[in-house]
Structure formats: structure tokens, C-alpha cells
Amino acid sequence: MKRFQIPAYGSPPTLVETPTPIPGPREVRLRIAACGLNFADLLMIEGKYQERPPLPVTLGMELAGTVEAVGPEVDAELTGRRVAVFAGSGGLAEQGCFPAARCVPLPEAMTFADAAAFQVAYGTSHVALDHKARLQAGETLLVLGAAGGVGLTAVEIGKRMGARVIACARGAERLAVAERAGADHLIDTDHADLRDAVLALGGADVVYDPVGGDQFTAAMRACNPEARILVIGFASGDAPRIKANHLLVKNLTVMGLYWGGYLAFRPEVLTDSLATLFQWYDEGLLRPHVSHTLPLERSAEGLDLLRTRKATGKVVICMDQPA
């Protein structure tokens, strides 16, 4: 079987042949159909991600496929089930073994590509906006990087929760994607002063920030009193420093969110959130935006689409797609 992996942190990933894995206790083996790419995969390659699995590392954090074998202490009836898994790694492969407890059954109508694009992006935004920020109907949500993988889902979920959504992105084409997801107002960060533009729209009650850098600072200055700022990531490469006195003056709250971290201490936060999200999908209320699907052999090209910000929404690797 083929895997797309790194032999060492800081080394370029390559496609390699390895033996078919055998599931251990409480594990299942999946025939992987699709794997969603994330900005965190780029950090994993560089050894800069908050988790560093043992080397060599097969990339790919979220995946979907069919259970083809089960290990000891796993119900044999799982065999043949269509499931999604947030694994942290191992998704960019034709097969893989994963904890049975992390397998989430797919809605009947959900494609493997949609499932592979779903968990991290929608899960991050839903837990951030609902569990952390307690976003309320009628509040103004400012989404930075609104055409990216997680930003676009924040626009969609924010509207689903009744917020007025201001979407920020670079260029008219990317803003059009955010508008189709439900954004009420659009700000082109290539041309507009972010702080002035947000204040002209009445300021922000909640800020969703996967970008960091100067945009974080501008967004914080455009916050209303008692606003909540969600730190999701640093796609700009710059983790900003926050002056505590600025938080004090407006009674601001800054909160970080590492979605996968909940698996270690409150996994029910994720499982409850995903149950809600899958129900919304089944009701036709959510539809993942996948801008590119590529075969396993072109995984490096998919990662480069994220690195150069040429993708909108998600990039998905489909194992049965011709090279």
C-alpha cells in the first residue's frame, strides 16, 4: 500500500510503499477513500505543530473510508461501515489503522469527499463559536481569512446561529466564495483598512481569527466592549503579542481554541458538536466547499495550494481519483 509521509521533521514528504497494517486492540483498519488537507499538515512537516508523532509520519489528519477489518476488543459488526475519523495523522494512505472510538458513522447522503472535508473545519468553527464564544443571534461576527478552510465554515455556522457576519479575505474572487456562504458584509484586506471598515459597520462582538499578525491587531481595535476574540491559528506566520491593558479598557476576552486538544480532556465536546453538525448536514443546512480534489500521488501539489493560499474552502485527496 502507498503512504505519503515524512522521514524526519523538516524533510519533504514522499510517496512510499509499506506493508498493509494489522489492527491492534480497540483498532479498526480502514480502506481510506478521502483525506482532507489542513494548514496544520504544513506545520507538521516543519516540526512546528503542537503534536509530534513518532517518525516516520504519514500526513493527513482527517479522513473517511470503509472499515475493512477490526482488531481485538472491537465489535465485528463495524466491518463494512462508512466512517469518518479525526486521527491527527495517517490519512494520506490507501489504508490505515485507527482507534475504533474515533470512528464517526457517516450520514447516508454524505460523500467520502465531503466527510474528509468536514470534521476539522466545521468542528473547529462550531466549538469555537458555540462552546467557547457563546455567539448569540443578532451579534456581529468578524471572520478573518473567511475564504479558507476553517474561515468559510465560520461564516456558514455564524449565519446558521443568527449572527450578522463580516467576512474578510484577499481579493474579489475569494470574497465571492464567502458571500455565497452567507456573509452579510465583505472586506477586501488587500485594499481596505480593516479597523476602519469594521468600525464603519458598527464594530465586532466576536472575532474569529485563523490568521494572526497585523489582522489580529486591527480586528482587536475594532471590537465592541465585551467582545470575544477567538484565536484559531496563525496562517500569516505571525503569532501576535497582546497588550493586557488593551483588553482591560474594553473588557475584552481572548480565548484560544485547539480543537483536537479536547480529545485528551473533554472528548464529549467534540462528539456532541459533530453530532449536531452531521444532523445539520443531513438536513441540508451545511455543504462543505471543496475547491480541489486530487489523487494521492499529487498530495504535494495539494499542500502547496494551502501554502500559497490558492485554494478556497478545502483541498481533499481522493484515493480512487486517477493520477
Side-chain angles (χ1 to χ4, degrees), residues 50-320:
Q50 48 260 55
E51 295 182 9
R52 292 166 62 95
L55 294 165
V57 176
T58 299
L59 299 172
M61 297 186 168
E62 57 180 333
L63 58 126
T66 303
V67 178
E68 63 176 11
V70 302
E73 304 175 50
V74 179
D75 189 342
E77 291 188 3
L78 282 177
T79 305
R81 295 275 181 90
R82 301 168 67 251
V83 299
V85 180
F86 173 71
S89 62
L92 286 176
E94 294 174 322
Q95 294 165 289
C97 293
F98 307 99
R102 293 197 184 184
C103 294
V104 181
L106 299 185
E108 187 174 341
M110 181 176 269
T111 66
F112 284 126
D114 274 1
F118 198 85
Q119 291 185 94
V120 172
Y122 280 102
T124 295
S125 292
H126 185 251
V127 171
L129 296 175
D130 183 64
H131 176 72
K132 295 285 285 187
R134 306 293 183 188
L135 177 68
Q136 302 298 306
E139 288 191 311
T140 296
L141 169 65
L142 173 63
V143 180
L144 307 182
V150 292
L152 198 60
T153 62
V155 172
E156 197 174 356
I157 290 174
K159 285 301 295 180
R160 176 74 181 81
M161 295 176 68
R164 181 177 71 128
V165 179
I166 303 172
C168 301
R170 300 178 64 182
E173 184 178 348
R174 298 176 71 81
L175 285 170
V177 174
E179 186 174 31
R180 290 194 292 272
D184 299 288
H185 303 281
L186 308 173
I187 298 175
D188 187 340
T189 53
D190 274 344
H191 302 290
D193 181 287
L194 177 58
R195 173 181 176 271
D196 290 348
V198 174
L199 288 175
L201 292 169
D205 301 308
V206 175
V207 176
Y208 183 97
D209 180 18
V211 178
D214 292 340
Q215 288 194 29
F216 174 93
T217 303
M220 186 172 69
R221 295 176 66 205
C223 280
N224 294 325
E226 292 196 322
R228 291 87 75 201
I229 304 173
L230 292 156
V231 177
I232 307 298
F234 312 105
S236 67
D238 179 9
R241 295 181 180 273
I242 303 167
K243 293 185 177 180
N245 61 311
H246 291 181
L247 306 180
L248 181 150
V249 171
K250 286 189 177 180
N251 289 290
L252 302 181
T253 300
V254 178
M255 52 188 77
L257 178 76
Y258 169 34
W259 181 79
Y262 277 96
L263 287 171
F265 65 96
R266 287 194 65 191
E268 72 278 5
V269 171
L270 301 192
T271 53
D272 291 349
S273 171
L274 286 172
T276 297
L277 291 167
F278 278 132
Q279 181 179 337
W280 287 356
Y281 179 95
D282 224 15
E283 294 171 358
L285 300 175
L286 300 177
R287 282 293 175 265
H289 175 79
V290 178
S291 65
H292 296 80
T293 59
L294 298 168
L296 182 61
E297 291 79 3
R298 294 172 63 188
S299 295
E301 181 181 334
L303 291 169
D304 195 56
L305 288 168
L306 299 186
R307 185 180 293 108
T308 58
R309 302 188 190 182
K310 292 180 180 178
T312 56
K314 294 287 286 189
V315 177
V316 175
I317 302 300
C318 295
M319 306 311 160
D320 62 355

Side-chain angles (χ1 to χ4, degrees), residues 9 40 42-52:
Y9 291 114
L42 299 176
L43 298 178
M44 183 79 76
I45 293 170
E46 298 171 5
K48 296 179 180 178
Y49 191 58
Q50 48 260 55
E51 295 182 9
R52 292 166 62 95

